[in-house]
Amino acid sequence: MWGPRCEGGGPLGKTLEIRLLGELEVVHGGRRVALPASKKTRALLGYLVATGTPHLRERLCNLLWQGPDDPRAALRWSLTKIRSLLDGGGVRRIVADRERVAFEATSVECDWLAARAAVAGGATKATTEALRGAAASFRGELLEGLDLADAYLWHEWCVSEREAARSVRTQVLTAMVERTAADPEAALPYARELVRADPMSEAAHAEVVRLLTELGRKQEAEQQYETCRRILANELGAKPSARLIAARVHAPSDPPRAESGAREAPQALPPLVGRDEVLRELDTHVEGATRGRAEQMLLLTGEPGIGKTRVLQELATKMRAAGGRVLRGRAFEAEMVRPYGPWIDALRSISIAEAAGPLRAELAPMLPELQSAGEGAGDKALLFDAVARLIARLSEATPVAVLLDDIQWFDEASAALLHFVARAVAPSRVLFACGARGEDLAENVAVVRVVRAMQRDGRVHEVALAPLDASATAVLARAIHAAVDSERVMRESLGNPLFALEVTRALARDGAPLSQSLLGLISDRLARLDERAHELVQWAAALGRAFDLDVLTHVTELSPAEIVDALEELERRGILRPCEAPGGAGYDFVHDLIRVGAYRQLSASRRRWVHLRIARALHELAGTDTALAGDVAHHAALGGDSGLAARACLDAAERCLRLFANDEAARVADIATPHLAKLPRETRLPLHLALLQVKAVSGRWLQRTEELYRELTRVVLEAQDAGLDTDVARGFHTMSLLQRDSGDFLGARESTLRAAEAVRTADPLIQARQLSSSARCLGLLEREMDRAEAMLGEAERIMMSAGAPPLGDLAYQWGRAMLALYVGDEAEGLAHLERTLVLARREQDRWVESDCLIRLVEVEIDADRPSAALARCRELAPVAAKMGDGSERPVADALDALARVAACVPGAEGHLARALARLREIDAKGMLSYVLVAAAQIDLRAKRLDAARARAEEGLHAAEVVDRRSQVALARSVLAGVSLAQGDPAGAARHLDAVGEVDRRLALSARARAEVVRARASIEQALSSARERRNEEERPCPE
Amino acid sequence: MPRMIVEYVFDPPATEEQFDAAAAKLDPCLEGRDVQWVRSFVSLDRRRRICVFDAPDAESVRESYRSAGVRFERVWSAEEITEDD
C-alpha cells in the first residue's frame, strides 16, 4: 500500500467496497479495513469475489493448499477470517455448507466486476462516465502481489484472470484516448497509462508521441520514441512502423536540454536520517556484545523500503568500528529451495577456515569446500552444534555480529538453525540482528514459530521502523536533490524512505512524477536506461538473487566487455551494487523492489524465454553439483521446461534430505508434481517414484499417509504396466517405508519382498541364480524336492537361452549336487560338488567351500569309506578354522571324530563325545542328528545296542525338531534294527510304521529309503521266521 | 519355540536400504526353515544390530543367513528372562 491513501467513503457510504485491481483492498463505510496477514486467505477472498460462483470445498483446497498440511482446516480458518471482514450488519456475503462455498455480492461494489461490466457489450457502447470510472479504478495488476509460489492451480487461474483484466484495461483506456482526442492535455494521462499497461503496443507509444508533440513537449516525445523503438527491437525484433515514424517526424529534435537539478552522483549510501533513537539502540546492543552480554536478538520490522537493510548496514559499520566482525546473509524470495542459503552466505562472508578447523567434518554437508573427501556422515544435531560452536569460536577474540536480512523468506531449516544457535551461544559476544517485512513474516510459519518462542524467552528486541516524519524526509530528499519540493516528496511518499528517494529522483528528472506508486516510479526510472543496461537489468531481475558475472555471461548474449560497461552504468545509477556472491565478486539490486520493478517490465512471453535460458545455463554450469538444483528448478518451472524442472526438483529435494532439511525436501517434491503431468511416461514414472520416495523419507507426510500411499500404488501399477522393474522395486521399497512408519510391519515385510521380487524379474541371470539358490535351499532341507528339481530345470533353461553356461554358475552346480546326492546318484553328486568347490575357491566364498567339503565328508561316511572321509576332514579343518564364530569348526570337529570312530581309531569315542557336546551347545540339531544316527549305525553293527538306541533316540528327536524327514527315517531304521537285534520285531515294525510313506518319488533321500526298505525286509524276514517257528511248535508231533 | 539371537556388526554403519535388501533375501530362507522373526534392536549409531527369532534350532538361522548371503557375527540359542519369571 504505497500509493496515495483513499479518503472519504464510497458513494453509498455503508456499502462494502472490494477492490481487486491493484493490491486487494476492502473498504467499509469509507475506511479501509485491515486485511488478514495470510496471503492465501487474501487470495481466497479475491478468488471468491472475482469468480462470483459457488465452489466445492475440495476445489478450493486444491487451489491454494497443496502439500502435507491439513487443507480443509486451513480453508475453514481462512473462511472465518474472511467472514469477519465481509459479513456484518445483518448481511451474509460468505455462504457455505459442508460442500460448497460462495460469495454473494449483496450491497457490494467491486471495481473489477464493474470494469468488466462496463465493456461487456463492447467499449464503444459504454458511457464515458463508466469508462472514466473504470479507468480510474485500475490501480495496478489484478490482485497485485498475491503470487503464491507453491499453489500451482492458483497461479494458473491468476495468470488468466490478469490477462483478462489487462485486456479490459486496454479496451477502456483506448476508448478513453479516443473520446478525449480533442483535448491532448486530458488524453495524455490515458495514453501514458495505456503504454504502461501494454508496453508492446506500438500504437499506444505512437499516441503518446503524438500527444506530446502536440503539447510542444518535444524532448519527452523523443524519449518516448526511443523507448518504443528499443522495445520493438528487443521484444519483437521489429522496426518502427510508419505510424510511429510519422508521429516522430513532427517532433523536430531540439538539442538535449541540460539536465536540471543535481546530476546524480555515483551512489553512495543515502544518509541515515530520522533514526536517532534506533541508532542509540544499536549502540547499546553493540556495547553489550563487546562486553560479552549480548542476550537479545534485534528484530527490525517494517514495510518494504522503510530502511531495515540500511539500519543493518549501519549496525555492521558500528560493529566493525568496535573491532568486531560481521557475518551477513540474506534470504531471497526465489531461493526458498536452497536450504540454509542465508547461513551459507553468512559463513562464507568472512574467512572461517581457521576457526572451522576441528569442525570440518560436521560442517561439510553445509560447506563442502571445507572437506575434500566425500560427505561427512552426520545428522542435523551435529551440524547445528558445529555451527554454534564455530560462531562461538569466532567470538572468542572479538565480538561478532550475525546479520540476517529478509528473514520472512527464510526456509524452515534456516529458521531452526537460527533458533538453535541464538540459544546456544547466549549470553555472549555474539549479536544477532534480523530484518523482516512485517506483513510477509506472518506468512512464514517456521520463522513465526521461532520468533514467538524467542519472544517468550525474552530474547527478542523488536524495533518496528516507522515512516519518517516530514523534516527527516526533507533531509533525505535534499541529499539527492538540493532544490526538491520536499513537501511534495512527503505527500507522495508518506515518509517511506525508498519511495521518497524515487519520488525525488523523478521530480529532479521531469518535474512531475509520472506514476503514483513506488513500483511505477521505479519502472519509469528503469525505462530511461540505455539499451544494454536495460537488457542486462532484466536478466539480473529474472535471476532473482545476487548473481555473479559468470552466470550473467552465460545467460546473456552480451560480450563480457559490454556486460562490464552496463554494470558500471547500473551501479552509477543506483540500481545495482557490488556484493559477495557465491561464485566470488557479484552484484545485487540496491533494493529488492527495484528488482521487482525491473522484472515486471518483462512481458509474459519474454519472462518465459528468459527463465528458460537461465535454467539451461545454470544446468550447464552446475554439472554434477546439485547446489544450484533449486535455482534450476525454479527457473525451469517459470520457463516452461517441465522435464528440466521436474528433474531439478528431484535433485534439489534429495539435496535437502542430505542437509537434513526435510521440510524443504517435501515442499520441493510437491512443486514438481504439476510438471510431471506434462512428461512422457518413460520419463515421468521414474521421476514420480523417486519424488514419492523423497516425500516418504522426509517424514513430513505422516498426517496424509493414506493419500501418499494411494498415489504410490497408482504409480507403481503404471510402472509395472510399462515394464519398469527397477522403478517398481523402488516403489515397493517406498511403500514398505510408509507402512513401517505407520506401524504396519506385516505390510512392510510384504512390500519388501515384492521389491526384491521386482528386482529379480529385471534380469534373467539373476532370476536363474535365484531359482538355483532356492532349489539348493530346498535340497538342504530335503523338502519339496520335486519343486527343487523343476527350479533347477528352469534355471538351466534360462541360462542356456541367455548364453551363460551353467557349468560356470556356482548356485546351479551346488543345487545340482544336492539333488543328485538326494536321488542317490553318487557319481554325479560328487562331480557337481567338486565343480562347486572349484568355483567357490575361485570366488573366495569360504562358506560355500566349507559347506562343499562337509558334504564330501558325509558322502564318504555314508559310503562307508572312513579313510577317504578322514582325508576330506583334513581339507576341511583349516577352512573351518577361518570361519570365525559360526558353526563350521564344531561341525568339522564332529565329522572328524565320527570318521575316526568309523575307522576305529583309538580314543575316537572320547573325541566324539566332546564333539557332540559342542554341537549341542551351539544348537545345530540337523548336524547333531546326522552324527548321532551315523554313530548309532556304527554302534548297531558293533552290537553295542544300548549305545545305539540312546544315540538313535536323541538323533530322532533332533531330526524331528528341525523336520528332516530323511534323517527321521534313518533314525527310525536304526531303532528298528536295535529292536530287531533285541528280539522284538513287533517293536521294530512299530518304529517303521511311524516313518510313513516311502514309495512316492522323492519323498525320502535314496539312502534313507534304502535303509527303510532294508529294515522292513529284515523285519519281514524276522517276522516270517517267527511265524514259521510258531507253526512248527504248533504242529502236532508225528505218532 | 526356543529363541535365537543373531548379532551383527556394521562398519560403515548400515542404511535402511541395506536392511531391507537383506530382509528380502532372508525371508524366503527363514520361512522355509520355520524361522519366525520376533524383533530387532539397532544401535543409534547404526553399527550394531540384534535380531531375535523363534526357530527350531540355531543352525536353522545360521543356514538361512548363509543361504541368503547375509553376514552375521554369531547366532546362539537363548532363554528369555522376563518380569514374570
Side-chain angles (χ1 to χ4, degrees), chain A residues 291-325:
Chain A
R291 296 237 184 101
R293 288 210 303 269
E295 276 192 320
Q296 287 188 321
M297 177 177 84
L298 254 181
L299 177 62
L300 301 168
T301 56
E303 62 191 40
I306 201 73
K308 303 179 288 298
T309 308
R310 185 69 187 83
V311 170
L312 284 176
Q313 270 158 359
E314 198 61 32
L315 179 57
T317 309
K318 284 184 187 296
M319 182 53 91
R320 288 198 187 101
R325 297 161 88 172

mmCIF file of all heavy atoms in Angstrom, chain A residues 291-325:
data_model
loop_
_atom_site.group_PDB
_atom_site.id
_atom_site.type_symbol
_atom_site.label_atom_id
_atom_site.label_comp_id
_atom_site.label_asym_id
_atom_site.label_seq_id
_atom_site.Cartn_x
_atom_site.Cartn_y
_atom_site.Cartn_z
ATOM 1 N N ARG A 291 30.910 -6.440 25.593
ATOM 2 C CA ARG A 291 31.113 -6.853 26.976
ATOM 3 C C ARG A 291 30.781 -8.325 27.207
ATOM 4 O O ARG A 291 30.833 -8.802 28.325
ATOM 5 C CB ARG A 291 30.204 -6.038 27.897
ATOM 6 C CG ARG A 291 30.506 -4.571 27.914
ATOM 7 C CD ARG A 291 30.796 -4.091 29.350
ATOM 8 N NE ARG A 291 30.979 -2.648 29.312
ATOM 9 C CZ ARG A 291 30.039 -1.788 29.662
ATOM 10 N NH1 ARG A 291 28.881 -2.226 30.095
ATOM 11 N NH2 ARG A 291 30.264 -0.488 29.568
ATOM 12 N N GLY A 292 30.375 -8.993 26.179
ATOM 13 C CA GLY A 292 30.046 -10.405 26.329
ATOM 14 C C GLY A 292 28.676 -10.633 26.903
ATOM 15 O O GLY A 292 28.376 -11.697 27.443
ATOM 16 N N ARG A 293 27.815 -9.633 26.784
ATOM 17 C CA ARG A 293 26.493 -9.793 27.386
ATOM 18 C C ARG A 293 25.363 -9.617 26.371
ATOM 19 O O ARG A 293 24.284 -9.162 26.710
ATOM 20 C CB ARG A 293 26.314 -8.770 28.498
ATOM 21 C CG ARG A 293 27.175 -9.101 29.735
ATOM 22 C CD ARG A 293 26.494 -8.609 30.984
ATOM 23 N NE ARG A 293 26.241 -7.172 30.904
ATOM 24 C CZ ARG A 293 27.082 -6.253 31.339
ATOM 25 N NH1 ARG A 293 28.215 -6.604 31.883
ATOM 26 N NH2 ARG A 293 26.788 -4.962 31.235
ATOM 27 N N ALA A 294 25.612 -9.980 25.149
ATOM 28 C CA ALA A 294 24.536 -9.879 24.160
ATOM 29 C C ALA A 294 23.562 -11.016 24.395
ATOM 30 O O ALA A 294 23.907 -12.184 24.291
ATOM 31 C CB ALA A 294 25.122 -9.976 22.758
ATOM 32 N N GLU A 295 22.339 -10.677 24.747
ATOM 33 C CA GLU A 295 21.362 -11.717 25.045
ATOM 34 C C GLU A 295 20.182 -11.709 24.112
ATOM 35 O O GLU A 295 19.515 -12.701 23.917
ATOM 36 C CB GLU A 295 20.829 -11.523 26.469
ATOM 37 C CG GLU A 295 21.732 -12.142 27.501
ATOM 38 C CD GLU A 295 21.056 -12.204 28.859
ATOM 39 O OE1 GLU A 295 20.368 -11.230 29.219
ATOM 40 O OE2 GLU A 295 21.232 -13.217 29.532
ATOM 41 N N GLN A 296 19.896 -10.553 23.577
ATOM 42 C CA GLN A 296 18.694 -10.442 22.780
ATOM 43 C C GLN A 296 19.006 -10.308 21.306
ATOM 44 O O GLN A 296 19.985 -9.675 20.923
ATOM 45 C CB GLN A 296 17.886 -9.218 23.216
ATOM 46 C CG GLN A 296 17.217 -9.428 24.555
ATOM 47 C CD GLN A 296 16.273 -8.290 24.849
ATOM 48 O OE1 GLN A 296 16.584 -7.141 24.557
ATOM 49 N NE2 GLN A 296 15.128 -8.591 25.403
ATOM 50 N N MET A 297 18.125 -10.883 20.507
ATOM 51 C CA MET A 297 18.232 -10.730 19.064
ATOM 52 C C MET A 297 17.468 -9.469 18.681
ATOM 53 O O MET A 297 16.353 -9.248 19.122
ATOM 54 C CB MET A 297 17.625 -11.947 18.369
ATOM 55 C CG MET A 297 17.634 -11.852 16.872
ATOM 56 S SD MET A 297 16.978 -13.332 16.088
ATOM 57 C CE MET A 297 15.240 -12.996 16.132
ATOM 58 N N LEU A 298 18.093 -8.647 17.845
ATOM 59 C CA LEU A 298 17.426 -7.455 17.336
ATOM 60 C C LEU A 298 16.583 -7.842 16.143
ATOM 61 O O LEU A 298 17.081 -8.452 15.206
ATOM 62 C CB LEU A 298 18.486 -6.466 16.838
ATOM 63 C CG LEU A 298 18.772 -5.239 17.660
ATOM 64 C CD1 LEU A 298 19.823 -4.410 16.942
ATOM 65 C CD2 LEU A 298 17.530 -4.381 17.856
ATOM 66 N N LEU A 299 15.322 -7.503 16.176
ATOM 67 C CA LEU A 299 14.465 -7.800 15.036
ATOM 68 C C LEU A 299 13.919 -6.486 14.494
ATOM 69 O O LEU A 299 13.145 -5.800 15.163
ATOM 70 C CB LEU A 299 13.315 -8.720 15.470
ATOM 71 C CG LEU A 299 12.297 -9.066 14.377
ATOM 72 C CD1 LEU A 299 12.962 -9.817 13.239
ATOM 73 C CD2 LEU A 299 11.153 -9.897 14.959
ATOM 74 N N LEU A 300 14.369 -6.131 13.293
ATOM 75 C CA LEU A 300 13.894 -4.893 12.665
ATOM 76 C C LEU A 300 12.753 -5.234 11.724
ATOM 77 O O LEU A 300 12.912 -6.035 10.812
ATOM 78 C CB LEU A 300 15.037 -4.260 11.858
ATOM 79 C CG LEU A 300 16.289 -3.904 12.632
ATOM 80 C CD1 LEU A 300 17.416 -3.564 11.687
ATOM 81 C CD2 LEU A 300 16.015 -2.723 13.556
ATOM 82 N N THR A 301 11.615 -4.628 11.969
ATOM 83 C CA THR A 301 10.475 -4.913 11.093
ATOM 84 C C THR A 301 9.953 -3.628 10.467
ATOM 85 O O THR A 301 10.200 -2.527 10.957
ATOM 86 C CB THR A 301 9.322 -5.556 11.879
ATOM 87 O OG1 THR A 301 8.973 -4.683 12.957
ATOM 88 C CG2 THR A 301 9.717 -6.893 12.434
ATOM 89 N N GLY A 302 9.221 -3.800 9.401
ATOM 90 C CA GLY A 302 8.632 -2.641 8.742
ATOM 91 C C GLY A 302 8.284 -2.954 7.313
ATOM 92 O O GLY A 302 8.617 -4.021 6.795
ATOM 93 N N GLU A 303 7.617 -1.999 6.656
ATOM 94 C CA GLU A 303 7.192 -2.217 5.271
ATOM 95 C C GLU A 303 8.393 -2.166 4.331
ATOM 96 O O GLU A 303 9.471 -1.675 4.707
ATOM 97 C CB GLU A 303 6.163 -1.152 4.880
ATOM 98 C CG GLU A 303 6.735 0.254 4.929
ATOM 99 C CD GLU A 303 5.647 1.301 4.795
ATOM 100 O OE1 GLU A 303 4.570 1.123 5.385
ATOM 101 O OE2 GLU A 303 5.898 2.301 4.104
ATOM 102 N N PRO A 304 8.224 -2.657 3.133
ATOM 103 C CA PRO A 304 9.340 -2.616 2.199
ATOM 104 C C PRO A 304 9.766 -1.177 1.937
ATOM 105 O O PRO A 304 8.925 -0.302 1.786
ATOM 106 C CB PRO A 304 8.769 -3.241 0.921
ATOM 107 C CG PRO A 304 7.588 -4.023 1.367
ATOM 108 C CD PRO A 304 7.054 -3.335 2.570
ATOM 109 N N GLY A 305 11.085 -0.965 1.909
ATOM 110 C CA GLY A 305 11.580 0.374 1.608
ATOM 111 C C GLY A 305 11.703 1.253 2.834
ATOM 112 O O GLY A 305 12.148 2.406 2.743
ATOM 113 N N ILE A 306 11.365 0.737 4.007
ATOM 114 C CA ILE A 306 11.365 1.576 5.206
ATOM 115 C C ILE A 306 12.771 1.779 5.762
ATOM 116 O O ILE A 306 13.005 2.665 6.560
ATOM 117 C CB ILE A 306 10.447 0.962 6.303
ATOM 118 C CG1 ILE A 306 10.019 2.023 7.319
ATOM 119 C CG2 ILE A 306 11.150 -0.169 7.036
ATOM 120 C CD1 ILE A 306 9.007 2.994 6.833
ATOM 121 N N GLY A 307 13.718 0.955 5.315
ATOM 122 C CA GLY A 307 15.101 1.186 5.708
ATOM 123 C C GLY A 307 15.704 0.138 6.628
ATOM 124 O O GLY A 307 16.699 0.396 7.299
ATOM 125 N N LYS A 308 15.138 -1.070 6.635
ATOM 126 C CA LYS A 308 15.674 -2.096 7.531
ATOM 127 C C LYS A 308 17.107 -2.458 7.141
ATOM 128 O O LYS A 308 17.998 -2.532 7.993
ATOM 129 C CB LYS A 308 14.800 -3.357 7.459
ATOM 130 C CG LYS A 308 13.342 -3.111 7.780
ATOM 131 C CD LYS A 308 12.534 -4.377 7.663
ATOM 132 C CE LYS A 308 12.324 -4.836 6.232
ATOM 133 N NZ LYS A 308 11.569 -3.876 5.426
ATOM 134 N N THR A 309 17.303 -2.662 5.847
ATOM 135 C CA THR A 309 18.640 -3.048 5.393
ATOM 136 C C THR A 309 19.645 -1.944 5.685
ATOM 137 O O THR A 309 20.778 -2.206 6.066
ATOM 138 C CB THR A 309 18.601 -3.364 3.889
ATOM 139 O OG1 THR A 309 17.567 -4.308 3.653
ATOM 140 C CG2 THR A 309 19.923 -3.927 3.419
ATOM 141 N N ARG A 310 19.196 -0.721 5.501
ATOM 142 C CA ARG A 310 20.070 0.415 5.746
ATOM 143 C C ARG A 310 20.512 0.448 7.203
ATOM 144 O O ARG A 310 21.661 0.703 7.530
ATOM 145 C CB ARG A 310 19.317 1.693 5.376
ATOM 146 C CG ARG A 310 20.129 2.958 5.469
ATOM 147 C CD ARG A 310 21.200 2.998 4.400
ATOM 148 N NE ARG A 310 22.050 4.143 4.646
ATOM 149 C CZ ARG A 310 23.052 4.142 5.507
ATOM 150 N NH1 ARG A 310 23.324 3.053 6.192
ATOM 151 N NH2 ARG A 310 23.775 5.237 5.690
ATOM 152 N N VAL A 311 19.564 0.172 8.095
ATOM 153 C CA VAL A 311 19.890 0.153 9.522
ATOM 154 C C VAL A 311 20.854 -0.994 9.820
ATOM 155 O O VAL A 311 21.802 -0.860 10.589
ATOM 156 C CB VAL A 311 18.610 0.021 10.380
ATOM 157 C CG1 VAL A 311 18.961 -0.242 11.830
ATOM 158 C CG2 VAL A 311 17.775 1.280 10.270
ATOM 159 N N LEU A 312 20.636 -2.126 9.178
ATOM 160 C CA LEU A 312 21.551 -3.258 9.396
ATOM 161 C C LEU A 312 22.952 -2.903 8.918
ATOM 162 O O LEU A 312 23.949 -3.273 9.537
ATOM 163 C CB LEU A 312 21.049 -4.508 8.669
ATOM 164 C CG LEU A 312 19.868 -5.243 9.312
ATOM 165 C CD1 LEU A 312 19.426 -6.407 8.438
ATOM 166 C CD2 LEU A 312 20.209 -5.742 10.699
ATOM 167 N N GLN A 313 23.021 -2.172 7.794
ATOM 168 C CA GLN A 313 24.335 -1.757 7.311
ATOM 169 C C GLN A 313 25.025 -0.863 8.336
ATOM 170 O O GLN A 313 26.228 -0.975 8.587
ATOM 171 C CB GLN A 313 24.198 -0.980 5.995
ATOM 172 C CG GLN A 313 24.257 -1.875 4.783
ATOM 173 C CD GLN A 313 23.628 -1.254 3.560
ATOM 174 O OE1 GLN A 313 23.103 -0.118 3.614
ATOM 175 N NE2 GLN A 313 23.655 -1.959 2.465
ATOM 176 N N GLU A 314 24.232 -0.002 8.941
ATOM 177 C CA GLU A 314 24.778 0.899 9.955
ATOM 178 C C GLU A 314 25.297 0.092 11.141
ATOM 179 O O GLU A 314 26.346 0.386 11.713
ATOM 180 C CB GLU A 314 23.669 1.857 10.400
ATOM 181 C CG GLU A 314 24.159 3.091 11.096
ATOM 182 C CD GLU A 314 25.068 3.938 10.224
ATOM 183 O OE1 GLU A 314 24.881 3.959 8.991
ATOM 184 O OE2 GLU A 314 25.998 4.541 10.775
ATOM 185 N N LEU A 315 24.542 -0.929 11.495
ATOM 186 C CA LEU A 315 24.951 -1.793 12.596
ATOM 187 C C LEU A 315 26.285 -2.462 12.277
ATOM 188 O O LEU A 315 27.168 -2.570 13.130
ATOM 189 C CB LEU A 315 23.871 -2.838 12.868
ATOM 190 C CG LEU A 315 24.138 -3.847 13.988
ATOM 191 C CD1 LEU A 315 24.402 -3.158 15.302
ATOM 192 C CD2 LEU A 315 22.942 -4.782 14.133
ATOM 193 N N ALA A 316 26.421 -2.905 11.025
ATOM 194 C CA ALA A 316 27.670 -3.532 10.599
ATOM 195 C C ALA A 316 28.838 -2.557 10.773
ATOM 196 O O ALA A 316 29.904 -2.914 11.279
ATOM 197 C CB ALA A 316 27.560 -3.996 9.151
ATOM 198 N N THR A 317 28.599 -1.319 10.339
ATOM 199 C CA THR A 317 29.650 -0.296 10.455
ATOM 200 C C THR A 317 30.055 -0.102 11.918
ATOM 201 O O THR A 317 31.235 -0.050 12.258
ATOM 202 C CB THR A 317 29.161 1.039 9.880
ATOM 203 O OG1 THR A 317 28.629 0.811 8.582
ATOM 204 C CG2 THR A 317 30.297 2.052 9.784
ATOM 205 N N LYS A 318 29.040 -0.015 12.773
ATOM 206 C CA LYS A 318 29.328 0.209 14.196
ATOM 207 C C LYS A 318 30.103 -0.958 14.787
ATOM 208 O O LYS A 318 31.030 -0.786 15.582
ATOM 209 C CB LYS A 318 28.018 0.399 14.970
ATOM 210 C CG LYS A 318 27.376 1.744 14.783
ATOM 211 C CD LYS A 318 26.128 1.860 15.664
ATOM 212 C CE LYS A 318 25.358 3.127 15.379
ATOM 213 N NZ LYS A 318 26.114 4.337 15.712
ATOM 214 N N MET A 319 29.720 -2.154 14.397
ATOM 215 C CA MET A 319 30.380 -3.330 14.938
ATOM 216 C C MET A 319 31.839 -3.361 14.505
ATOM 217 O O MET A 319 32.734 -3.669 15.295
ATOM 218 C CB MET A 319 29.649 -4.596 14.478
ATOM 219 C CG MET A 319 30.238 -5.890 15.022
ATOM 220 S SD MET A 319 30.425 -5.930 16.802
ATOM 221 C CE MET A 319 28.872 -6.629 17.301
ATOM 222 N N ARG A 320 32.082 -3.015 13.233
ATOM 223 C CA ARG A 320 33.469 -3.015 12.771
ATOM 224 C C ARG A 320 34.274 -1.947 13.486
ATOM 225 O O ARG A 320 35.429 -2.166 13.831
ATOM 226 C CB ARG A 320 33.515 -2.800 11.253
ATOM 227 C CG ARG A 320 33.041 -4.024 10.490
ATOM 228 C CD ARG A 320 33.476 -4.010 9.042
ATOM 229 N NE ARG A 320 32.840 -5.117 8.351
ATOM 230 C CZ ARG A 320 31.765 -5.012 7.576
ATOM 231 N NH1 ARG A 320 31.204 -3.827 7.374
ATOM 232 N NH2 ARG A 320 31.223 -6.071 7.015
ATOM 233 N N ALA A 321 33.607 -0.810 13.694
ATOM 234 C CA ALA A 321 34.303 0.276 14.396
ATOM 235 C C ALA A 321 34.688 -0.154 15.803
ATOM 236 O O ALA A 321 35.700 0.286 16.354
ATOM 237 C CB ALA A 321 33.415 1.521 14.453
ATOM 238 N N ALA A 322 33.886 -1.028 16.384
ATOM 239 C CA ALA A 322 34.187 -1.503 17.743
ATOM 240 C C ALA A 322 35.171 -2.666 17.713
ATOM 241 O O ALA A 322 35.399 -3.330 18.729
ATOM 242 C CB ALA A 322 32.881 -1.942 18.421
ATOM 243 N N GLY A 323 35.736 -2.946 16.532
ATOM 244 C CA GLY A 323 36.728 -4.012 16.429
ATOM 245 C C GLY A 323 36.140 -5.391 16.218
ATOM 246 O O GLY A 323 36.825 -6.396 16.340
ATOM 247 N N GLY A 324 34.859 -5.435 15.899
ATOM 248 C CA GLY A 324 34.237 -6.739 15.767
ATOM 249 C C GLY A 324 34.170 -7.215 14.323
ATOM 250 O O GLY A 324 34.562 -6.515 13.396
ATOM 251 N N ARG A 325 33.658 -8.433 14.141
ATOM 252 C CA ARG A 325 33.482 -8.982 12.802
ATOM 253 C C ARG A 325 32.002 -9.116 12.487
ATOM 254 O O ARG A 325 31.178 -9.232 13.393
ATOM 255 C CB ARG A 325 34.133 -10.365 12.716
ATOM 256 C CG ARG A 325 35.628 -10.297 12.940
ATOM 257 C CD ARG A 325 36.152 -11.658 13.314
ATOM 258 N NE ARG A 325 36.489 -12.383 12.101
ATOM 259 C CZ ARG A 325 37.114 -13.561 12.125
ATOM 260 N NH1 ARG A 325 37.400 -14.134 13.254
ATOM 261 N NH2 ARG A 325 37.400 -14.175 11.010
#
